[in-house]
Amino acid sequence: MSDPKQPKQRRASQAGAARHLADKLRKHAAWLLLLWFVLSVYLFLSATPPAAAPLRPAFLPSKHRTLSATTAAAPAPPVRIYVYDLPSRFNRDWVAADARCSRHLFAAEVALHEALLSYAGRAARPEDAELFFVPVYVSCNFSTVNGFPSLSHARGLLAEAVELVRRQMPYWNRSEGADHVFVASHDFGACFHPMEDVAIADGIPEFLKRSILLQTFGVQGTHVCQEVEHVVIPPHVPPEVALELPEPEKAQRDIFAFFRGKMEVHPKNISGRFYSKKVRTEVLQRYGRNRKFYLKRKRYDNYQSEMARSLFCLCPLGWAPWSPRLVESVLLGCIPVIIADDIRLPFPSVLQWSDISLQVAEKDVASLEMVLDHVVATNLTIIQKNLWDPVKRNALVFNRPLEEGDATWQVLRELENLLDRSQKRYFGSWRR
């Protein structure tokens, strides 16, 4: 038989254990409460996304974009861009009046417009668009004595186009033009003057300062003429340049270093300014009698055949840092020798300029021959192999219609990246 006292003893033992546990809990209550509070705060913060960073003024919030949209495997970056159908006086009439409008070094404004009209991702309806392209040709007024286009009408023509867009459609007004794209393909971009001091004094027109500019001008650091959201694009060179001459790797290169163009004997221009910051004058003075350097001051229509025969093509600054020689050199397989301090070059992630060109500081012109000799003795064939990559040549050409990987395609990728960066800031990094 079981002892009747045993259940009472067990109950007493259990009660004692409970009292002991209660005493221990009372002793540690403060620590347990603190632990519960810290754990609650941690769980709350980890479940709450950070406050969305405000958008930069360049963009309005739009539908969230996926990062996969920017992959190189895509047939074309899926930027939904609407092209305004402006009256012909803003664009097509200029081409009809002068054929040079669609072929000269500033003709990216024409080529981009025509390529975008054939772009499969173009938004048919403005309400479906993320960006709006405003096709105004401001580089086609060939009214000057020297044959170069005048920019005196540029600001007025653009202001008229913006007023038309603002008055007839709601899209400019909702963002103050922040999602509108313009081309400024001349010397100092949207400052609209070929002389830097005047361009800086004039600055970018107020009505363009919130928009996106596609411009050939770009420098490292700050500059009045790029104080706006922008993409650096290559100068226009007709696509057939790369087709009319032998393939770069098969060309006979019997010229060591080549330059043909404006070289002032006395660098001070009639305007009182020093052309090319005296760089071209110094090149002429130091190497004009050197047989390794093929330097010519007179124009020659077939100069590109000379570039195709050259190992190195000098690309010194003129009034602005950039020139079409950058593109022509790459298309013709001649190593560009860039003499323009702080220049910012187009599409660096694709072209990888340090692999296909040389950069010589303006102050080091005296060492130019030594630099080129060193390259010949060391890594000439490596640079040439990189330079002759057809992907790199294609990235600098504005084809009509657009082709995968060409200059217009690269512009669309850059615009895609601008949109993605803007929206990542808006949606917050916690979504990644």
Side-chain angles (χ1 to χ4, degrees):
M1 293 181 63
S2 60
D3 187 349
K5 295 181 179 180
Q6 284 182 354
K8 292 182 179 181
Q9 291 173 346
R10 279 198 298 272
R11 284 195 295 273
S13 175
Q14 289 170 351
R19 283 194 299 274
H20 179 68
L21 178 61
D23 290 340
K24 292 182 75 174
L25 287 174
R26 277 194 295 272
K27 287 181 182 179
H28 298 288
W31 287 106
L32 290 171
L33 182 62
L34 179 62
L35 179 63
W36 172 84
F37 176 76
V38 171
L39 183 61
S40 299
V41 170
Y42 170 77
L43 291 173
F44 174 77
L45 290 178
S46 64
T48 304
L55 281 179
R56 292 180 65 185
F59 300 108
L60 289 172
S62 58
K63 296 176 183 177
H64 182 51
R65 306 173 63 79
T66 59
L67 296 181
S68 62
T70 62
T71 59
V79 179
R80 296 187 296 277
I81 187 165
Y82 180 79
V83 180
Y84 283 112
D85 185 15
L86 298 179
S88 61
R89 69 178 183 276
F90 291 103
N91 40 61
R92 293 181 293 275
D93 286 354
W94 292 99
V95 178
D98 196 319
R100 288 177 293 176
C101 181
S102 62
R103 295 186 58 80
H104 69 143
L105 73 162
F106 303 135
E109 59 187 7
V110 181
L112 275 162
H113 181 203
E114 294 181 354
L116 288 175
L117 289 175
S118 65
Y119 168 47
R122 180 164 67 98
R125 304 185 309 162
E127 55 267 33
D128 296 331
E130 296 165 297
L131 296 173
F132 299 82
F133 184 78
V134 188
V136 182
Y137 303 167
V138 300
S139 302
C140 291
N141 183 4
F142 293 93
S143 61
T144 59
V145 176
N146 62 13
F148 290 109
S150 168
L151 296 174
S152 59
H153 69 302
R155 291 171 184 264
L157 190 66
L158 282 161
E160 186 183 351
V162 167
E163 181 57 31
L164 183 68
V165 167
R166 177 188 286 131
R167 191 173 62 248
Q168 294 190 356
M169 289 185 132
Y171 306 102
W172 177 281
N173 295 325
R174 72 179 185 181
S175 68
E176 296 182 358
D179 45 9
H180 283 57
V181 181
F182 297 82
V183 181
S185 55
H186 17 80
D187 299 83
F188 291 97
C191 286
F192 301 115
H193 200 281
M195 304 297 180
E196 186 171 18
D197 55 343
V198 181
I200 290 173
D202 290 348
I204 296 172
E206 198 63 35
F207 61 84
L208 289 181
K209 286 186 176 179
R210 289 178 58 85
S211 298
I212 305 167
L213 298 180
L214 310 178
Q215 55 183 46
T216 43
F217 173 73
V219 291
Q220 305 293 337
T222 59
H223 194 286
V224 169
C225 299
Q226 61 181 19
E227 290 179 351
V228 63
E229 195 76 74
H230 66 282
V231 173
V232 177
I233 64 173
H236 179 267
V237 171
E240 58 268 23
V241 166
L243 305 176
E244 292 173 347
L245 296 161
E247 295 177 26
E249 60 270 27
K250 297 179 181 177
Q252 296 297 316
R253 301 192 181 271
D254 57 338
I255 298 173
F256 180 75
F258 170 79
F259 179 82
R260 182 183 286 277
K262 184 176 181 178
M263 289 183 287
E264 301 281 7
V265 176
H266 303 289
K268 203 167 199 178
N269 189 269
I270 57 172
S271 66
R273 301 171 177 88
F274 286 103
Y275 181 67
S276 187
K277 297 181 181 177
K278 306 181 185 179
V279 167
R280 295 192 188 188
T281 298
E282 186 177 358
V283 169
L284 179 63
Q285 290 173 347
R286 288 186 176 276
Y287 303 107
R289 297 180 182 276
N290 187 325
R291 292 186 177 183
K292 292 166 69 175
F293 286 76
Y294 189 87
L295 307 177
K296 300 295 179 182
R297 298 175 61 205
K298 293 183 179 180
R299 294 190 181 191
Y300 174 50
D301 289 342
N302 201 27
Y303 72 94
Q304 288 164 345
S305 66
E306 297 172 323
M307 298 181 83
R309 292 167 46 200
S310 304
L311 281 178
F312 301 101
C313 288
L314 307 187
C315 302
L317 73 163
W319 289 120
W322 64 271
S323 87
R325 293 177 184 84
L326 288 168
V327 175
E328 292 168 328
S329 299
V330 175
L331 295 183
L332 299 170
C334 179
I335 298 172
V337 182
I338 302 165
I339 312 173
D341 294 353
D342 300 322
I343 187 173
R344 199 148 50 87
L345 298 163
F347 316 140
S349 62
V350 176
L351 288 159
Q352 299 174 328
W353 286 95
S354 61
D355 293 340
I356 65 173
S357 66
L358 305 175
Q359 287 196 260
V360 177
E362 294 165 17
K363 65 180 178 59
D364 293 334
V365 167
S367 305
L368 180 59
E369 182 179 7
M370 182 177 66
V371 170
L372 301 185
D373 284 339
H374 177 74
V375 170
V376 171
T378 54
N379 59 339
L380 175 67
T381 55
I382 295 172
I383 297 175
Q384 286 179 325
K385 184 178 178 181
N386 295 332
L387 181 66
W388 295 342
D389 180 358
V391 171
K392 291 179 170 55
R393 296 207 301 277
N394 191 36
L396 290 171
V397 173
F398 292 98
N399 291 302
R400 308 177 215 184
L402 174 153
E403 294 180 10
E404 181 177 350
D406 73 1
T408 303
W409 195 93
Q410 301 298 339
V411 166
L412 290 168
R413 281 193 67 182
E414 295 289 338
L415 292 173
E416 172 85 355
N417 290 337
L418 285 180
L419 287 171
D420 280 338
R421 287 200 300 273
S422 176
Q423 294 192 13
K424 280 182 207 171
R425 285 190 295 272
Y426 182 74
F427 285 96
S429 60
W430 63 279
R431 286 190 183 273
R432 278 179 268 169

